[in-house]
Amino acid sequence: MATNSTLKSAALLDQMKLHLSTEAGKQLTKKIPLVYQFNIAPKKIGINEEIFTVDLKKGEVTQGPFEGKPDATFSLKDEDFVKVALGKMNPQFAFMRGAMKIKGSLSAAQKFTPDIFPKPSKM
């Protein structure tokens, strides 16, 4: 998915795309067959957002909106997405304090946890 994005989130989503092609990633798609859309803003939610789709049904990560209705759509700032993905911010906490907005199924949204991201490799 090599994007021309300047968002830190895009690099994490690229890693996720590679992760979904592994055996662990394939197990994840069987466990959580949902589609998530992320509207990620550089500084302020709703302004200059870049849209990414994580389709766990197909095991794909793409840039652009999902064609159809995603199970859950998250809107958040780039830095908050990175914190949530790396497990440095609890997704429920981010939602409650307004750092993350969610549309769609809340039960689907609750399955989106840092556990679905590949662990960063030690360099």
Side-chain angles (χ1 to χ4, degrees):
M1 177 183 81
T3 64
N4 56 358
S5 175
T6 57
L7 297 176
K8 293 180 182 122
S9 307
L12 286 170
L13 289 161
D14 273 343
Q15 287 179 348
M16 182 167 208
K17 183 175 187 170
L18 295 172
H19 177 63
L20 290 175
S21 66
T22 67
E23 196 50 47
K26 289 184 175 105
Q27 292 302 315
L28 184 65
T29 60
K30 289 180 186 142
K31 189 173 144 196
I32 309 173
L34 299 168
V35 177
Y36 295 111
Q37 180 172 302
F38 296 93
N39 301 341
I40 302 171
K43 299 281 180 214
K44 190 168 192 248
I45 293 176
I47 298 174
N48 297 327
E49 290 179 328
E50 292 185 30
I51 299 173
F52 296 89
T53 299
V54 176
D55 185 339
L56 295 176
K57 290 178 182 174
K58 295 181 182 173
E60 294 177 344
V61 178
T62 55
Q63 189 168 12
F66 181 66
E67 292 184 18
K69 189 172 184 219
D71 293 293
T73 299
F74 298 88
S75 297
L76 63 168
K77 291 188 309 190
D78 188 32
E79 66 183 74
D80 292 331
F81 178 89
V82 171
K83 288 176 187 172
V84 169
L86 296 178
K88 295 181 177 166
M89 183 191 297
N90 179 304
Q92 284 88 0
F93 177 74
F95 176 70
M96 285 190 290
R97 68 162 236 244
M100 178 166 62
K101 293 182 168 60
I102 300 171
K103 284 185 193 157
S105 164
L106 281 180
S107 65
Q110 288 173 333
K111 291 181 175 76
F112 179 77
T113 66
D115 300 340
I116 73 171
F117 284 90
K119 299 296 165 246
S121 53
K122 305 278 185 272
M123 298 210 173

